[in-house]
Amino acid sequence: MLKLIRLEMKKTNFTFYIQRALVASIVITGFLFVMLYFDRDLIPTGSEEFLFITDSITRMVFIIFSGVLISKLIIEEYNNKTITLMFTYPIERKKILIAKLLIIISFTFLSIVITKILALATLSILTNYLHFINENITLSMIFEHFKNTILYDFSASGVSLVALSFGMKQMSVRTTIVASVIIAILLGISNESISVGSFIVVPITLTTIGLVITYLSISSIDQKDVF
């Protein structure tokens, strides 16, 4: 499976997506800084709100990013019929699709975690000089926050599979990305420091639904005609 994953990443020139994810991380950090710095007098931000905003925006961006990956790695391959060539390999079709899904889930999860580290570290240092967050953000607070939210981050990466289900049904790139945007917005809808995604049962339920529907979608792939 690892060899299959490496071949898939090489085939799709995955470095391109890693670079785009890094750019997205920097843009998110910059956006958070601008939002918190220029609103510091109108809407004072404490440590709890700061951590909440960083989590929500990061997860929303990379749920949508995962929709783009699903479109490129799976939906477009069906539309362009390149998946037909892959299915001629002496490898089970299910394994090929599972390798693609593992790439998407792992990449989304790591992107969320790395972006949060970058944003929290950068903004915590900047606020020591510019004081746009009302409370000090200590290293121990960040560690504790990661420990408490790692399951949410993993669930957010699994939620993207729900968009795959819609995309596979219509074989549509547009449907896949629109579904990702809707899911990201639904999870990001918030009231003060609470969002729909803050209730762990919501992302876990959506992740479970995505896994079940994805399993049903690929369980009979060996018998489906893709020509």
Side-chain angles (χ1 to χ4, degrees):
M1 182 59 75
L2 286 176
K3 188 175 181 181
L4 196 56
I5 289 173
R6 281 198 297 270
L7 288 172
E8 181 65 26
M9 293 178 72
K10 189 175 180 181
K11 180 174 75 81
T12 54
N13 187 22
F14 212 75
T15 304
F16 173 83
Y17 297 100
I18 293 173
Q19 291 172 345
R20 293 300 177 275
L22 288 173
V23 171
S25 299
I26 295 169
V27 170
I28 289 170
T29 303
F31 173 77
L32 287 168
F33 170 71
V34 170
M35 183 175 69
L36 296 172
Y37 182 76
F38 287 101
D39 286 346
R40 66 189 186 283
D41 295 325
L42 296 173
I43 310 173
T45 303
S47 60
E48 189 176 334
E49 291 85 1
F50 164 61
L51 295 170
F52 169 78
I53 292 169
T54 304
D55 279 352
S56 295
I57 292 178
T58 302
R59 289 177 193 145
M60 288 176 70
V61 169
F62 283 103
I63 286 174
I64 297 171
F65 201 109
S66 72
V68 175
L69 285 178
I70 291 169
S71 300
K72 181 64 183 178
L73 270 63
I74 300 177
I75 306 300
E76 280 190 6
E77 292 237 31
Y78 272 95
N79 291 338
N80 298 334
K81 306 295 184 187
T82 51
I83 198 79
T84 305
L85 176 62
M86 294 189 69
F87 285 168
T88 61
Y89 297 165
I91 304 171
E92 286 183 38
R93 294 179 179 184
K94 288 178 192 173
K95 284 189 177 179
I96 294 174
L97 290 178
I98 289 171
K100 291 173 179 286
L101 293 175
L102 287 175
I103 291 172
I104 294 166
I105 292 174
S106 303
F107 182 80
T108 306
F109 174 71
L110 289 174
S111 296
I112 290 172
V113 172
I114 291 171
T115 300
K116 284 174 60 177
I117 291 172
L118 175 67
L120 292 175
T122 303
L123 297 174
S124 299
I125 293 171
L126 287 176
T127 196
N128 289 335
Y129 299 96
L130 301 173
H131 308 294
F132 53 88
I133 300 171
N134 280 348
E135 304 165 52
N136 289 330
I137 308 296
T138 64
L139 199 58
S140 61
M141 287 172 64
I142 293 176
F143 276 126
E144 185 68 20
H145 179 71
F146 267 92
K147 192 173 70 176
N148 294 332
T149 59
I150 196 74
L151 183 58
Y152 290 86
D153 296 336
F154 184 74
S155 296
S157 62
V159 163
S160 63
L161 297 180
V162 177
L164 170 67
S165 308
F166 289 101
M168 287 282 282
K169 186 171 288 185
Q170 299 190 15
M171 291 302 167
S172 166
V173 169
R174 180 181 299 175
T175 301
T176 307
I177 295 177
V178 169
S180 297
V181 172
I182 292 172
I183 293 166
I185 291 173
L186 286 176
L187 290 179
I189 291 175
S190 64
N191 180 13
E192 295 181 349
S193 295
I194 299 176
S195 72
V196 174
S198 298
F199 300 98
I200 188 63
V201 67
V202 175
I204 286 181
T205 300
L206 287 174
T207 301
T208 304
I209 291 172
L211 287 171
V212 171
I213 296 177
T214 301
Y215 172 77
L216 293 175
S217 299
I218 67 174
S219 60
S220 59
I221 196 69
D222 289 333
Q223 288 77 43
K224 286 185 179 177
D225 186 5
V226 295
F227 292 93

